[in-house]
Amino acid sequence: MTLSAFLLSVLSGNTPHAHAADPGSDTMHLHRTPSPTVDDEELSRCKAYRKSFPGTEIALPAMALRNRAIAKWVRDHRVTIDVHTGEELATALAAGVRLQRLTLHADALSESDLHAAVNLGVGRVVAASVQQIELIRSVVAKRAQDVVVRMTDVNTPVLSTVGVADRVPAGFRFDSNESDTAIAAVLDHEWLNLVGLHCEVGSQDHDFVSYPAAIGHMITEMTQIRRRDGVVLTRLGLGGGRAVPSGDWAIELPELASQIDESLDDACATLRYPRPLVVLSPGLAIVEHDAA
């Protein structure tokens, strides 16, 4: 089923996803019997995580919205949602999340799905290749679209392997011709707004190994963009496997928050760059981890 057809079926209430937005529905999940206890525990983890990062925007994964309690909390508190596939976009829309609260990561979308999603008017699109940016440029018509450019560690390959044969962009290496081309392609379009950069921190080939390293590179790149293009970027996105600690959240989450804040303060002070909003994307591990 195409994304357009899937969205139409969701918005007409003909798929299980649509029940996520219905407060009176007994269907909360696609693949398991709903359990109030499990739902409450997952919501508690989301609340605890968000409370640990008071100065940071937390972007929850769209599939967490299959939990009806989380979906209601997201709507009530205007939480940002990360979307990576057409199905996740449909899930977010069925859960009643406003388009402006959605961040669409384009790297796993087909051209047709990306085309349909941009036409809907999602809040932000995270682009990881020049081809994605060119497609966004071709779709946007007389309506401003915020764009975030995904970056990767300068010492790692531009492409990462996914599955068996598929290779997808992992982002642009810092201080490279490719990143300069991508940024110029966004800035040169009258309807595209470059609002920030995003990178992953984790154990994958293209990830940064630590938050201080990632934040230092990101602020350096933002400073160069300000000097060269006269544009101040205001969003700094951090994702990856290290966003959700494996130990005691009561100890490790405050430590992580402190590490991010101190690294950001140091980088911004050193380069005299205005502090951007940090957007932390913990992924599905936020509802899978048993917080202590």
Side-chain angles (χ1 to χ4, degrees):
M1 180 183 291
T2 65
L3 174 58
S4 298
F6 192 56
L7 290 175
L8 285 174
S9 65
V10 168
L11 296 177
S12 62
N14 292 329
T15 75
H17 293 283
H19 294 290
D22 179 6
S25 171
D26 290 329
T27 304
M28 291 178 282
H29 301 279
L30 290 178
H31 304 300
R32 62 181 173 84
T33 302
S35 167
T37 300
V38 171
D39 288 350
D40 290 343
E41 289 175 355
E42 291 179 351
L43 177 57
S44 293
R45 289 195 285 273
C46 292
K47 289 181 176 180
Y49 195 93
R50 194 184 192 206
K51 185 177 180 180
S52 298
F53 299 90
T56 300
E57 182 173 286
I58 303 301
L60 294 182
M63 298 313 285
L65 298 171
R66 293 184 294 178
N67 178 321
R68 188 175 60 188
I70 292 178
K72 183 180 185 304
W73 179 71
V74 164
R75 292 193 302 271
D76 291 346
H77 294 83
R78 298 183 178 181
V79 178
T80 298
I81 295 297
D82 277 334
V83 171
H84 293 267
T85 66
E87 182 181 359
E88 290 183 4
L89 176 58
T91 299
L93 294 178
V97 181
R98 293 182 179 274
L99 286 168
Q100 283 302 310
R101 304 305 303 172
L102 301 182
T103 298
L104 181 76
H105 295 257
D107 50 303
L109 291 174
S110 67
E111 288 192 8
S112 60
D113 283 358
L114 180 58
H115 190 287
V118 172
N119 270 329
L120 283 172
V122 295
R124 291 152 299 280
V125 180
V126 180
S129 73
V130 173
Q131 291 79 9
Q132 291 166 11
I133 293 173
E134 291 300 329
L135 181 58
I136 297 168
R137 284 169 56 97
S138 69
V139 173
V140 170
K142 296 184 178 180
R143 176 183 49 77
Q145 175 65 65
D146 289 349
V147 175
V148 175
V149 171
R150 178 170 171 175
M151 309 299 293
T152 189
D153 191 347
V154 68
N155 296 314
T156 58
V158 176
L159 295 178
S160 64
T161 302
V162 175
V164 178
D166 296 331
R167 293 177 66 81
V168 299
F172 301 96
R173 286 177 289 187
F174 287 97
D175 196 24
S176 66
N177 291 334
E178 291 82 4
S179 65
D180 291 345
T181 299
I183 290 165
V186 176
L187 294 176
D188 289 345
H189 195 285
E190 62 176 324
W191 295 108
L192 296 183
N193 300 321
L194 181 64
V195 297
L197 304 177
H198 175 91
C199 72
E200 302 286 306
V201 179
S203 58
Q204 300 298 314
D205 288 342
H206 56 274
D207 292 349
F208 282 91
V209 297
S210 71
Y211 286 102
I215 290 170
H217 278 79
M218 299 267 270
I219 296 299
T220 299
E221 185 75 16
M222 289 179 173
T223 302
Q224 292 176 350
I225 293 171
R226 181 177 64 171
R227 291 173 179 169
R228 183 184 64 229
D229 304 304
V231 176
V232 176
L233 305 189
T234 58
R235 296 176 69 89
L236 189 156
L238 298 169
R242 300 188 191 278
V244 178
S246 59
D248 186 343
W249 278 18
I251 297 174
E252 295 193 21
L253 283 182
E255 291 178 350
L256 177 59
S258 177
Q259 183 185 67
I260 291 174
D261 282 342
E262 291 176 3
S263 299
L264 188 61
D265 286 343
D266 289 346
C268 289
T270 299
L271 297 171
R272 298 183 179 180
Y273 191 87
R275 184 185 175 106
L277 173 67
V278 174
V279 183
L280 194 58
S281 299
L284 275 174
I286 193 174
V287 293
E288 295 171 348
H289 176 71
D290 185 14

PDB file of all heavy atoms in Angstrom, residues 138-153:
ATOM      1  N   SER A 138      12.033  20.261  -4.757  1.00  0.00           N
ATOM      2  CA  SER A 138      11.100  20.117  -5.877  1.00  0.00           C
ATOM      3  C   SER A 138       9.650  20.010  -5.422  1.00  0.00           C
ATOM      4  O   SER A 138       8.726  20.302  -6.187  1.00  0.00           O
ATOM      5  CB  SER A 138      11.462  18.884  -6.710  1.00  0.00           C
ATOM      6  OG  SER A 138      11.192  17.687  -5.986  1.00  0.00           O
ATOM      7  N   VAL A 139       9.433  19.592  -4.165  1.00  0.00           N
ATOM      8  CA  VAL A 139       8.077  19.373  -3.663  1.00  0.00           C
ATOM      9  C   VAL A 139       7.487  20.638  -3.044  1.00  0.00           C
ATOM     10  O   VAL A 139       6.312  20.960  -3.233  1.00  0.00           O
ATOM     11  CB  VAL A 139       8.061  18.226  -2.631  1.00  0.00           C
ATOM     12  CG1 VAL A 139       6.693  18.109  -1.967  1.00  0.00           C
ATOM     13  CG2 VAL A 139       8.457  16.920  -3.290  1.00  0.00           C
ATOM     14  N   VAL A 140       8.322  21.348  -2.275  1.00  0.00           N
ATOM     15  CA  VAL A 140       7.829  22.530  -1.557  1.00  0.00           C
ATOM     16  C   VAL A 140       7.342  23.578  -2.547  1.00  0.00           C
ATOM     17  O   VAL A 140       8.029  23.911  -3.508  1.00  0.00           O
ATOM     18  CB  VAL A 140       8.935  23.113  -0.661  1.00  0.00           C
ATOM     19  CG1 VAL A 140       8.518  24.460  -0.097  1.00  0.00           C
ATOM     20  CG2 VAL A 140       9.246  22.150   0.464  1.00  0.00           C
ATOM     21  N   ALA A 141       6.149  24.098  -2.307  1.00  0.00           N
ATOM     22  CA  ALA A 141       5.579  25.113  -3.192  1.00  0.00           C
ATOM     23  C   ALA A 141       4.872  26.180  -2.367  1.00  0.00           C
ATOM     24  O   ALA A 141       3.802  25.948  -1.828  1.00  0.00           O
ATOM     25  CB  ALA A 141       4.599  24.475  -4.182  1.00  0.00           C
ATOM     26  N   LYS A 142       5.501  27.337  -2.267  1.00  0.00           N
ATOM     27  CA  LYS A 142       4.906  28.518  -1.631  1.00  0.00           C
ATOM     28  C   LYS A 142       4.432  28.236  -0.200  1.00  0.00           C
ATOM     29  O   LYS A 142       3.387  28.712   0.225  1.00  0.00           O
ATOM     30  CB  LYS A 142       3.766  29.060  -2.484  1.00  0.00           C
ATOM     31  CG  LYS A 142       4.231  29.559  -3.853  1.00  0.00           C
ATOM     32  CD  LYS A 142       3.099  30.181  -4.641  1.00  0.00           C
ATOM     33  CE  LYS A 142       3.620  30.705  -5.970  1.00  0.00           C
ATOM     34  NZ  LYS A 142       2.554  31.336  -6.791  1.00  0.00           N
ATOM     35  N   ARG A 143       5.206  27.423   0.500  1.00  0.00           N
ATOM     36  CA  ARG A 143       4.934  27.165   1.913  1.00  0.00           C
ATOM     37  C   ARG A 143       6.255  26.848   2.584  1.00  0.00           C
ATOM     38  O   ARG A 143       6.978  25.957   2.149  1.00  0.00           O
ATOM     39  CB  ARG A 143       3.963  25.984   2.088  1.00  0.00           C
ATOM     40  CG  ARG A 143       3.732  25.608   3.548  1.00  0.00           C
ATOM     41  CD  ARG A 143       2.813  24.395   3.666  1.00  0.00           C
ATOM     42  NE  ARG A 143       3.201  23.300   2.805  1.00  0.00           N
ATOM     43  CZ  ARG A 143       4.217  22.478   3.055  1.00  0.00           C
ATOM     44  NH1 ARG A 143       4.960  22.649   4.139  1.00  0.00           N
ATOM     45  NH2 ARG A 143       4.501  21.501   2.224  1.00  0.00           N
ATOM     46  N   ALA A 144       6.590  27.600   3.605  1.00  0.00           N
ATOM     47  CA  ALA A 144       7.892  27.436   4.254  1.00  0.00           C
ATOM     48  C   ALA A 144       8.028  26.044   4.865  1.00  0.00           C
ATOM     49  O   ALA A 144       7.094  25.527   5.473  1.00  0.00           O
ATOM     50  CB  ALA A 144       8.083  28.500   5.327  1.00  0.00           C
ATOM     51  N   GLN A 145       9.189  25.448   4.679  1.00  0.00           N
ATOM     52  CA  GLN A 145       9.480  24.134   5.249  1.00  0.00           C
ATOM     53  C   GLN A 145      10.800  24.197   5.994  1.00  0.00           C
ATOM     54  O   GLN A 145      11.842  24.525   5.424  1.00  0.00           O
ATOM     55  CB  GLN A 145       9.563  23.072   4.153  1.00  0.00           C
ATOM     56  CG  GLN A 145       9.986  21.681   4.642  1.00  0.00           C
ATOM     57  CD  GLN A 145       8.961  21.080   5.582  1.00  0.00           C
ATOM     58  OE1 GLN A 145       7.838  20.798   5.176  1.00  0.00           O
ATOM     59  NE2 GLN A 145       9.339  20.876   6.836  1.00  0.00           N
ATOM     60  N   ASP A 146      10.776  23.877   7.297  1.00  0.00           N
ATOM     61  CA  ASP A 146      12.004  23.831   8.081  1.00  0.00           C
ATOM     62  C   ASP A 146      12.773  22.555   7.770  1.00  0.00           C
ATOM     63  O   ASP A 146      12.188  21.467   7.672  1.00  0.00           O
ATOM     64  CB  ASP A 146      11.692  23.881   9.576  1.00  0.00           C
ATOM     65  CG  ASP A 146      11.201  25.252  10.019  1.00  0.00           C
ATOM     66  OD1 ASP A 146      11.301  26.207   9.227  1.00  0.00           O
ATOM     67  OD2 ASP A 146      10.703  25.364  11.158  1.00  0.00           O
ATOM     68  N   VAL A 147      14.091  22.698   7.644  1.00  0.00           N
ATOM     69  CA  VAL A 147      14.959  21.571   7.302  1.00  0.00           C
ATOM     70  C   VAL A 147      16.100  21.479   8.313  1.00  0.00           C
ATOM     71  O   VAL A 147      16.670  22.496   8.720  1.00  0.00           O
ATOM     72  CB  VAL A 147      15.536  21.725   5.879  1.00  0.00           C
ATOM     73  CG1 VAL A 147      16.536  20.603   5.575  1.00  0.00           C
ATOM     74  CG2 VAL A 147      14.417  21.747   4.844  1.00  0.00           C
ATOM     75  N   VAL A 148      16.396  20.256   8.727  1.00  0.00           N
ATOM     76  CA  VAL A 148      17.551  19.960   9.577  1.00  0.00           C
ATOM     77  C   VAL A 148      18.481  19.057   8.766  1.00  0.00           C
ATOM     78  O   VAL A 148      18.023  18.099   8.138  1.00  0.00           O
ATOM     79  CB  VAL A 148      17.125  19.257  10.880  1.00  0.00           C
ATOM     80  CG1 VAL A 148      18.346  18.847  11.698  1.00  0.00           C
ATOM     81  CG2 VAL A 148      16.200  20.158  11.698  1.00  0.00           C
ATOM     82  N   VAL A 149      19.760  19.352   8.757  1.00  0.00           N
ATOM     83  CA  VAL A 149      20.732  18.558   8.001  1.00  0.00           C
ATOM     84  C   VAL A 149      21.433  17.593   8.959  1.00  0.00           C
ATOM     85  O   VAL A 149      21.927  18.001  10.012  1.00  0.00           O
ATOM     86  CB  VAL A 149      21.759  19.459   7.297  1.00  0.00           C
ATOM     87  CG1 VAL A 149      22.891  18.620   6.688  1.00  0.00           C
ATOM     88  CG2 VAL A 149      21.079  20.288   6.216  1.00  0.00           C
ATOM     89  N   ARG A 150      21.444  16.328   8.565  1.00  0.00           N
ATOM     90  CA  ARG A 150      22.084  15.304   9.402  1.00  0.00           C
ATOM     91  C   ARG A 150      23.576  15.230   9.102  1.00  0.00           C
ATOM     92  O   ARG A 150      23.991  15.118   7.951  1.00  0.00           O
ATOM     93  CB  ARG A 150      21.432  13.943   9.171  1.00  0.00           C
ATOM     94  CG  ARG A 150      22.091  12.835   9.990  1.00  0.00           C
ATOM     95  CD  ARG A 150      21.295  11.557   9.949  1.00  0.00           C
ATOM     96  NE  ARG A 150      22.046  10.461  10.548  1.00  0.00           N
ATOM     97  CZ  ARG A 150      21.566   9.249  10.739  1.00  0.00           C
ATOM     98  NH1 ARG A 150      20.322   8.957  10.370  1.00  0.00           N
ATOM     99  NH2 ARG A 150      22.314   8.304  11.291  1.00  0.00           N
ATOM    100  N   MET A 151      24.367  15.262  10.166  1.00  0.00           N
ATOM    101  CA  MET A 151      25.816  15.208  10.055  1.00  0.00           C
ATOM    102  C   MET A 151      26.331  13.887  10.610  1.00  0.00           C
ATOM    103  O   MET A 151      25.641  13.194  11.365  1.00  0.00           O
ATOM    104  CB  MET A 151      26.449  16.374  10.822  1.00  0.00           C
ATOM    105  CG  MET A 151      25.880  17.748  10.497  1.00  0.00           C
ATOM    106  SD  MET A 151      26.071  18.231   8.766  1.00  0.00           S
ATOM    107  CE  MET A 151      27.858  18.396   8.656  1.00  0.00           C
ATOM    108  N   THR A 152      27.576  13.558  10.253  1.00  0.00           N
ATOM    109  CA  THR A 152      28.192  12.335  10.746  1.00  0.00           C
ATOM    110  C   THR A 152      29.652  12.601  11.083  1.00  0.00           C
ATOM    111  O   THR A 152      30.232  13.610  10.658  1.00  0.00           O
ATOM    112  CB  THR A 152      28.079  11.207   9.710  1.00  0.00           C
ATOM    113  OG1 THR A 152      28.504   9.974  10.293  1.00  0.00           O
ATOM    114  CG2 THR A 152      28.929  11.479   8.488  1.00  0.00           C
ATOM    115  N   ASP A 153      30.244  11.723  11.847  1.00  0.00           N
ATOM    116  CA  ASP A 153      31.634  11.864  12.270  1.00  0.00           C
ATOM    117  C   ASP A 153      32.541  11.958  11.046  1.00  0.00           C
ATOM    118  O   ASP A 153      32.425  11.179  10.099  1.00  0.00           O
ATOM    119  CB  ASP A 153      32.024  10.664  13.131  1.00  0.00           C
ATOM    120  CG  ASP A 153      33.359  10.858  13.830  1.00  0.00           C
ATOM    121  OD1 ASP A 153      34.095  11.795  13.471  1.00  0.00           O
ATOM    122  OD2 ASP A 153      33.672  10.074  14.736  1.00  0.00           O
TER     123      ASP A 153
END
